[in-house]
């Protein structure tokens, strides 16, 4: 629902709890504070908006990193944008969704981003993708080439395609030998029904943590040393044929 004030109050409670457990970062689903709507441009604003300023304040107050998203105002259509905010309240990275969900007409109200993002935080190299981006493995291959160790994927993935959700996250993790954290919304709106199902896949394609259905706060840890270990055990990337892939695509 498009009730950012109410949703931010609920989010603060989760952020406080994450901080009390010593978490490095808390990740919220795609457009968690307005609800995902592919056609709504309400609450599109800049970094001084209620959503962004509140998240920055919470990050600093509770000394915990936050990944949250908002509708970023531009000189044209807004962008579906995720922000990585450090535990001092500073914005570390901003990623705007590259692959807009054409089946849901998202491109009619939003414009796509053009720049992948890899950021350093708490000793980890982090990539960011959003929901439908999962269906495009090239983005994740790029993140691998950039040295990403974990990719955060906030999403609004509907109940009726949950099999795809799990398949894609596990596949992106296993084929690139890094962690992928998929964080999905729960509840209903006029667009669809959402079942949660957030989980963390490790570099071997195994499920390292699983929230199950519904809304909840789930804690997970990622041993980043396993990223290099997976590559040593099964050195896949040296066998890639980039020069051939480029020919085929052309």
């Amino acid at each position: 629902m498009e009730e950012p004030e109410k949703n931010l109050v609920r989010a603060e409670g989760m952020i406080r709890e994450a901080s009390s457990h010593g978490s490095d970062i808390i990740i919220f689903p795609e457009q968690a504070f307005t609800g995902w709507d592919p056609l709504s441009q309400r609450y599109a604003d800049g970094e001084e908006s209620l959503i962004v300023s509140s998240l920055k304040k919470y990050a600093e107050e509770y000394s915990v990193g936050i990944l949250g998203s908002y509708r970023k105002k531009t000189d044209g259509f807004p962008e579906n944008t995720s922000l990585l905010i450090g535990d001092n309240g500073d914005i570390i990275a901003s990623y705007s969704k590259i692959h807009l969900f054409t089946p849901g007409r998202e491109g009619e109200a939003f414009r796509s981003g053009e720049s992948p993002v890899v950021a350093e935080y708490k000793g980890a190299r982090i990539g960011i993708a959003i929901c439908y981006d999962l269906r495009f493995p090239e983005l994740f291959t790029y993140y691998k080439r950039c040295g990403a160790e974990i990719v955060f994927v906030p999403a609004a993935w509907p109940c009726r395609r949950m099999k795809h959700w799990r398949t894609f996250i596990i596949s992106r993790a296993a084929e690139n030998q890094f962690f992928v954290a998929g964080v999905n919304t729960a509840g209903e709106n006029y667009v669809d029904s959402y079942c949660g199902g957030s989980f963390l896949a490790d570099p071997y394609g195994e499920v390292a943590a699983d929230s199950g259905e519904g809304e909840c706060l789930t804690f997970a840890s990622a041993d980043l040393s396993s990223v290099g270990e997976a590559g040593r055990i099964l050195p896949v990337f040296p066998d890639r044929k980039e020069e051939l892939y480029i020919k085929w695509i052309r």
Side-chain angles (χ1 to χ4, degrees), residues 131-247:
C131 200
Y132 190 50
D133 284 332
L134 271 172
R135 290 185 177 271
F136 301 88
E138 294 84 356
L139 175 60
F140 292 79
T141 302
Y142 173 82
Y143 281 149
K144 179 65 177 183
R145 289 205 304 265
C146 291
E149 297 165 299
I150 186 167
V151 180
F152 296 148
V153 189
W157 203 280
C159 299
R160 54 202 170 96
R161 288 194 287 271
M162 289 303 289
K163 183 177 180 180
H164 292 175
W165 166 252
R166 295 188 69 87
T167 297
F168 291 139
I169 290 176
I170 290 170
S171 296
R172 300 295 89 85
E175 67 197 8
N176 293 294
Q177 298 175 325
F178 53 30
F179 287 92
V180 179
V183 181
N184 194 34
T185 195
E188 295 186 2
N189 60 14
Y190 84 94
V191 181
D192 222 319
S193 298
Y194 307 92
C195 295
S198 303
F199 74 102
L200 175 68
D202 72 14
Y204 301 99
E206 301 293 336
V207 176
D210 196 332
S211 71
E213 293 188 3
E215 180 180 285
C216 66
L217 183 60
T218 301
F219 295 91
S221 60
D223 179 2
L224 299 182
S225 68
S226 64
V227 174
E229 179 186 75
R232 289 190 293 273
I233 292 173
L234 190 64
V236 173
F237 264 69
D239 292 330
R240 288 182 59 81
K241 305 292 184 182
E242 301 291 346
E243 67 283 359
L244 292 180
Y245 305 153
I246 291 172
K247 286 182 182 179

Side-chain angles (χ1 to χ4, degrees), residues 1-4 7 28-38 40 42-44 51 67-72 78-82 95-97 106 110 130-131 154-156 183 185 189:
M1 300 295 291
E2 294 189 310
E3 299 176 325
N7 290 327
F28 288 97
E30 178 183 16
Q31 301 297 324
F33 312 106
T34 55
W36 185 73
D37 185 334
S40 177
R42 292 185 67 197
Y43 301 107
I51 292 172
L67 186 79
S69 61
Y70 74 117
R71 298 165 184 168
K72 179 182 177 182
E79 295 176 349
N80 184 344
T81 300
S82 283
Y95 169 78
S96 293
K97 188 176 184 179
E106 190 175 18
F110 289 81
I130 299 176
C131 200
V183 181
T185 195
N189 60 14

